[in-house]
Amino acid sequence: MVIDEGILESYGAKAISLKKNEVLFLEGSSALNYYQVAEGIVKMNNFSADGQEFIQGMFKDGESFGEPPLFGGFPYPANADAVIDSLIWKLPKENFIKLLKENFELHLKFCAILSKRLQFKAMMAKEISSYTPEHRVLTLIDYFKKKEDTESANNDYEVPFTRQQIADMTGLRVETVIRAIKALVAKKELQIIKRKVFRAYAA
């Protein structure tokens, strides 16, 4: 969890509900609030001129999203909408800035989070321009597997994304992702159990 929910409430945060596919904010709109997922999943995305979706990030319980425009004072570079029914903490920008000023350790925490997101974007830009579909898919899965860092670290990692979501994050067609996953299964890099994709913990 980025910010404890008790601290959020003490600074005036409110919990808002989003239905599946409901839009929280649109690309180009002003950044007026800090958002943190209480329950559910939110994705940030863009659409190309021909309507193809590109997912910039997926955020689940305890994760925050959309902070750079709050710090930089620029419009949102992507849309945000709920992947499933979700509950989101919403904190006005001025309260968020005050919270960071009064809690320096949280300020440092956000510096680390934003740095890791920049690393992810740089990694994906390199993957999309330089590597095979199989390599792109495996790199994406391994990134999120490492990010989880949970008690199940010594168990096989269940990939929490659909084939379509993997396609939208890697810039591939869903048919290409399906073929890449099949090829990785043949190489024993991945497993498919009851249609779910798994990555071995030792990978």
Side-chain angles (χ1 to χ4, degrees), residues 187-198:
K187 295 176 183 177
K188 301 187 184 304
E189 298 282 1
L190 299 176
Q191 288 182 298
I192 296 179
I193 303 173
K194 295 181 180 179
R195 295 184 54 79
K196 298 285 188 179
V197 179
F198 290 83

Side-chain angles (χ1 to χ4, degrees), residues 6 13 24 44 100 134 168 171 181 200:
L24 180 62
M44 293 192 68
L100 292 183
E134 290 86 353
D168 293 337
I181 289 174

Side-chain angles (χ1 to χ4, degrees), residues 38-59:
E39 299 174 8
I41 304 173
V42 170
K43 67 178 176 181
M44 293 192 68
N45 61 355
N46 301 102
F47 290 91
S48 63
D50 61 2
Q52 181 178 353
E53 182 181 23
F54 185 78
I55 295 177
Q56 300 285 349
M58 302 273 284
F59 306 93

Side-chain angles (χ1 to χ4, degrees), residues 11-27:
Y11 279 85
K14 304 295 183 185
I16 59 173
S17 298
L18 294 179
K19 294 294 185 183
K20 180 180 178 180
N21 297 325
E22 185 175 351
V23 175
L24 180 62
F25 56 74
L26 291 170
E27 178 180 356

Side-chain angles (χ1 to χ4, degrees), residues 24-188:
L24 180 62
F25 56 74
L26 291 170
E27 178 180 356
S29 60
S30 299
L32 303 176
N33 300 285
Y34 166 80
Y35 296 105
Q36 183 171 304
V37 182
E39 299 174 8
I41 304 173
V42 170
K43 67 178 176 181
M44 293 192 68
N45 61 355
N46 301 102
F47 290 91
S48 63
D50 61 2
Q52 181 178 353
E53 182 181 23
F54 185 78
I55 295 177
Q56 300 285 349
M58 302 273 284
F59 306 93
K60 59 183 184 178
D61 299 8
E63 294 184 316
S64 62
F65 58 94
E67 304 96 323
L70 286 178
F71 292 115
F74 54 84
Y76 284 117
N79 312 298
D81 55 79
V83 177
I84 59 175
D85 289 354
S86 301
L87 187 67
I88 311 296
W89 285 105
K90 177 182 177 181
L91 180 67
K93 178 179 178 178
E94 58 271 21
N95 298 34
F96 174 63
I97 299 301
K98 180 181 178 183
L99 185 157
L100 292 183
K101 287 180 177 179
E102 295 177 354
N103 297 272
F104 185 66
E105 70 283 359
L106 288 176
H107 201 155
L108 289 177
K109 191 174 183 179
F110 273 101
C111 288
I113 289 170
L114 295 178
S115 295
K116 288 178 180 177
R117 289 183 190 166
L118 285 172
Q119 179 191 33
F120 172 70
K121 288 184 180 294
M123 177 194 74
M124 290 311 300
K126 179 180 178 182
E127 292 292 317
I128 288 171
S129 63
S130 305
Y131 292 104
T132 65
E134 290 86 353
H135 192 281
R136 290 193 218 179
V137 170
L138 204 59
T139 298
L140 179 77
I141 290 172
D142 282 346
Y143 171 83
F144 282 99
K145 177 177 178 291
K146 182 178 180 181
K147 181 183 174 184
E148 283 291 312
D149 191 26
T150 63
E151 295 176 357
S152 60
N154 290 328
N155 296 316
D156 289 349
Y157 172 67
E158 181 180 342
V159 179
F161 309 116
T162 65
R163 275 70 163 172
Q164 184 63 62
Q165 288 168 342
I166 293 173
D168 293 337
M169 283 189 278
T170 56
L172 298 168
R173 293 172 58 86
V174 67
E175 296 84 358
T176 305
V177 169
I178 291 170
R179 288 196 296 270
I181 289 174
K182 287 181 178 177
L184 290 165
V185 169
K187 295 176 183 177
K188 301 187 184 304

